[in-house]
Amino acid sequence: ESRDHDPVGDRRRARPHIDAIPRKGAATAPTERREYGGEGPAGMDREAEKERLARHMQFEGAVPEVKPRSEHDGRGAPVGDAEEFSRVAHEIEERREFLDQMRSAGRGGEYDAMIKAQIADKVKEMEALDGRLEQQQAQAEAAEDDAPPE
């Protein structure tokens, strides 16, 4: 009797059928599975948790403590709008000097548009600071006028 050898069929017959495999807890009634609602513990901010875990992975567990910026400079003195105004004015002057140097070196065309755009941004920043300074001045004058005479 010449029967063709079928290796796949032999393997198939050697394994038990899926229904014949006993399941865990088959002796007891099947347990109800809770359906996933898509939310974690109550009150948990998912985005904040994602950020926290991203920082944890980024720094390999040793997340540096970041202090929030305050209205103080590095020396501990409060930074006011007047100081900020003078700082921005100084930055504008530095950019103008740089542009003059580049023009005298024959490379003004490379930097002209970029530096002028930066200066325009700084001028807008100065205008905003000037508005705040004027508002603070007006409030200070109003407070002096409202103060009772001595």
Side-chain angles (χ1 to χ4, degrees):
E1 201 170 295
S2 78
R3 190 174 148 194
D4 290 336
H5 178 67
D6 182 15
V8 175
D10 292 342
R11 203 173 336 128
R12 211 177 282 140
R13 281 184 225 92
R15 278 193 260 154
H17 190 269
I18 189 81
D19 293 334
I21 299 173
R23 296 208 170 24
K24 287 185 181 179
T28 62
T31 57
E32 289 276 326
R33 292 183 91 185
R34 291 183 296 156
E35 189 172 322
Y36 177 65
E39 295 182 13
M44 185 174 108
D45 183 4
R46 292 174 60 88
E47 290 302 316
E49 184 67 6
K50 282 182 192 178
E51 289 295 321
R52 184 188 72 78
L53 291 172
R55 283 191 308 276
H56 182 80
M57 294 296 291
Q58 178 184 6
F59 295 106
E60 298 175 351
V63 180
E65 187 176 322
V66 178
K67 296 177 183 173
R69 286 187 173 179
S70 65
E71 291 295 318
H72 293 76
D73 64 4
R75 298 178 305 267
V79 176
D81 287 335
E83 290 89 0
E84 186 74 10
F85 189 87
S86 63
R87 181 191 61 81
V88 173
H90 181 71
E91 288 178 7
I92 289 174
E93 188 56 37
E94 285 178 343
R95 282 168 173 75
R96 285 188 177 141
E97 288 173 7
F98 174 78
L99 190 56
D100 289 339
Q101 289 173 354
M102 290 297 109
R103 283 181 182 151
S104 65
R107 298 181 64 190
E110 293 178 45
Y111 298 99
D112 196 48
M114 179 179 64
I115 298 297
K116 284 183 178 179
Q118 290 177 0
I119 289 173
D121 288 342
K122 295 294 177 184
V123 167
K124 287 179 187 174
E125 190 177 336
M126 283 182 76
E127 289 171 352
L129 286 168
D130 188 44
R132 284 199 304 245
L133 283 170
E134 288 176 359
Q135 187 179 22
Q136 288 173 358
Q137 232 174 7
Q139 288 174 351
E141 288 173 4
E144 286 177 9
D145 292 344
D146 292 343
E150 294 178 21

